[in-house]
Amino acid sequence: MRVLLTGWASFRHGEATAGDVLSLRAVSDVLTEARVDHLTVWSPAFHPEGPHLADAAPDAFTHVVFACGPLHGTQLHDLHRRYPRCRRLAVGVSVPDPADPAVTGFDVVLPRDDGDACAADLSLATWLGSPPVVGVVLAPDQPEYGADRRHDTVHAILAEWLRDLDCGRVPLDTRLATDDWRHCATPDQFVSTLSRLDVVVSTRLHGLALGLKAGVPVLAVDPVAHGGKVTAQAHALRWPAVLPADATRADLDEWFDWCCSGEARARAAAEHPFPGPLAELVGELKGMP
């Protein structure tokens, strides 16, 4: 027996959702525990390194298992045609139309829901890791810095680095709005959101300041050559995790690891300096005639 394990995340034009991939992991775990030889295949768009359906010769498998998602669409019809001699099973799937050839092409269907019965989703049956949750706050173009702007370069480096980082990524914007649910309406809401994170990565001054206000370590990258207001604010707050515009991936890795440490968390949670200009403002006002 050799099983080809497939799902919507296996198709070139399929979609790899967290639930689908966890469901494939759950089935793989069960097959591994039962000592059933199997191969999980992935979409080339999701896992370019493979293995892919095109690599899985039909005569190399006795069974095809399809996990999670709806049994509907031409890609499932193609799956049936590609593996006609394999015994085909679907597990943890939705069955919107039992008469659909995408459904009837399977020898066995063990549904998640089919109009009559329902079962817990397969994604609940497998383990999860605990990667850190990282909020990302990026600065706009900031034309006031003229030729010293390095925003495009810095943000491109951060995008590649974040893509490869094992973390949950939460894009955030300090801009508030009362007409768009995707933005916080008050600064209190924004800082409350930050406080739930493990680390903030920011090229924006207020990403740095408000991240520390929330007690969360911040990896700050100054997008201005020679240092701009992000660097100045890090110095004012005595915060060490600030990198220049020409920072490398090695620099990012080193300081991200530090930001994930207990030392960084304790330092971020410590009391920060009171803004001196406020005291000066009061003094100036009181000194007025």
Side-chain angles (χ1 to χ4, degrees):
M1 179 188 297
R2 191 171 192 227
V3 173
L4 178 65
L5 180 53
T6 66
W8 282 104
S10 305
F11 297 137
R12 176 176 292 276
H13 301 294
E15 188 174 60
T17 70
D20 289 344
V21 173
L22 279 176
S23 295
L24 285 167
R25 185 190 295 176
V27 176
S28 179
D29 289 346
V30 167
L31 295 179
T32 298
E33 186 176 351
R35 298 185 178 181
V36 174
D37 184 23
H38 65 283
L39 175 71
T40 305
V41 288
W42 303 100
S43 163
F46 182 53
H47 277 311
E49 69 277 12
H52 307 137
L53 270 173
D55 306 320
D59 58 1
F61 300 91
T62 59
H63 295 71
V64 173
V65 172
F66 184 88
C68 194
L71 295 187
H72 175 76
T74 58
Q75 294 185 92
L76 279 168
H77 301 168
D78 293 340
L79 187 71
H80 294 314
R81 284 192 290 266
R82 179 171 172 80
Y83 299 96
R85 294 185 178 84
C86 294
R87 183 167 173 80
R88 298 182 297 282
L89 304 89
V91 58
V93 293
S94 295
V95 183
D97 179 7
D100 189 324
V103 179
T104 59
F106 286 100
D107 298 290
V108 176
V109 176
L110 305 172
R112 172 181 58 194
D113 52 87
D114 61 2
D116 294 321
C118 60
D121 189 69
L122 297 177
S123 64
L124 298 170
T126 189
W127 58 271
L128 284 172
S130 299
V133 179
V134 177
V136 182
V137 185
L138 301 181
D141 186 49
Q142 297 175 324
E144 63 269 25
Y145 284 105
D148 282 339
R149 288 174 293 171
R150 301 291 185 273
H151 295 64
D152 289 346
T153 301
V154 169
H155 290 164
I157 291 171
L158 283 175
E160 290 188 5
W161 175 71
L162 286 163
R163 178 197 64 199
D164 298 334
L165 195 65
D166 183 18
C167 68
R169 292 169 284 274
V170 182
L172 295 170
D173 192 341
T174 60
R175 183 172 68 86
L176 304 178
T178 57
D179 60 348
D180 186 345
W181 66 267
R182 289 167 293 189
H183 292 270
C184 293
T186 69
D188 312 69
Q189 294 171 5
F190 184 76
V191 174
S192 180
T193 301
L194 293 178
S195 71
R196 270 63 171 182
L197 303 171
D198 295 306
V199 177
V200 173
V201 173
S202 181
T203 59
R204 193 162 198 166
L205 180 152
H206 282 126
L208 168 61
L210 297 181
L212 295 180
K213 184 177 181 68
V216 177
V218 179
L219 175 51
V221 183
D222 198 323
V224 176
H226 316 300
K229 58 187 175 182
V230 172
T231 299
Q233 187 63 199
H235 291 166
L237 298 175
R238 298 190 288 274
W239 183 250
V242 57
L243 295 174
D246 59 356
T248 66
R249 287 180 65 119
D251 296 328
L252 292 166
D253 288 337
E254 178 183 353
W255 280 102
F256 181 79
D257 287 344
W258 182 80
C259 285
C260 291
S261 70
E263 177 190 355
R265 175 65 65 168
R267 190 157 177 171
E271 186 173 341
H272 300 290
F274 184 82
L278 285 180
E280 293 178 20
L281 173 64
V282 172
E284 288 289 335
L285 292 173
K286 286 188 174 180
M288 293 177 62

